[in-house]
Every structure is written in C-alpha cells, then in structure tokens.
Amino acid sequence: MRATKPLSITLPHDMAKMVKDKVASGDYATESEVIREGLRALKARDGAEEEWLRAEGVARYDAYRSDPSSARPAAEVFSRLRGRRAKRTKGR
C-alpha cells in the first residue's frame, strides 16, 4: 500500500509563489516537500498550544477558582495587550 495520498490544492497567488520560491531556492526539492514542512510546523504549533492549555491554562483556571479576586477585567487585559503590540509594531 502507498504511504502517500495525492491531493489537489488551491492556494492564493502569494502562497503559491512562496512555495515555488522555496523550491527555486534549493531549500526544497518539490512543492510537496514545502507543503509537508508547513503541515509539520502546524502540527507542532497545535501540539504546543494543546500542551499549554493542559499545563498553564488549567493551572491558571485553578488559581482563579481558588481566588476569584485575582482576576482582571477583560478591558484591562486587552488594553495591556494592545499596548504591547503597539510597542512591538513601532519597533519594526
């Protein structure tokens, strides 16, 4: 039995160019290798998010449940996040 399955995909022009450029640069031998690498990265990111939720997310939820006064209003949190992003964007 075959270890691969052929698929037909459609990409936006910029993504298709990116795939072609990776092959043209010699970083990858085929477009399929580029797509496989991207899917591996996506799988790793999803795994890292899942691990964070299981470890850090659950711990933070448990801490909140034991002391609800430690919570911050959403508006305060989002304001702080917007400020951090603005600093990072300004630095680019």
Side-chain angles (χ1 to χ4, degrees), residues 53-85:
L53 284 172
R54 289 180 194 275
E56 192 70 24
V58 170
R60 288 181 185 199
Y61 176 76
D62 289 344
Y64 165 75
R65 294 285 290 176
S66 68
D67 181 15
S69 68
S70 66
R72 300 287 173 256
E76 178 184 322
V77 173
F78 282 112
S79 175
R80 191 167 17 145
L81 290 172
R82 282 187 205 97
R84 286 183 187 174
R85 182 172 183 189

Side-chain angles (χ1 to χ4, degrees), residues 32-46:
S32 291
E33 285 183 10
V34 177
I35 300 300
R36 282 193 294 268
E37 183 67 24
L39 290 172
R40 283 187 205 102
L42 180 61
K43 184 178 181 180
R45 188 198 72 192
D46 288 350

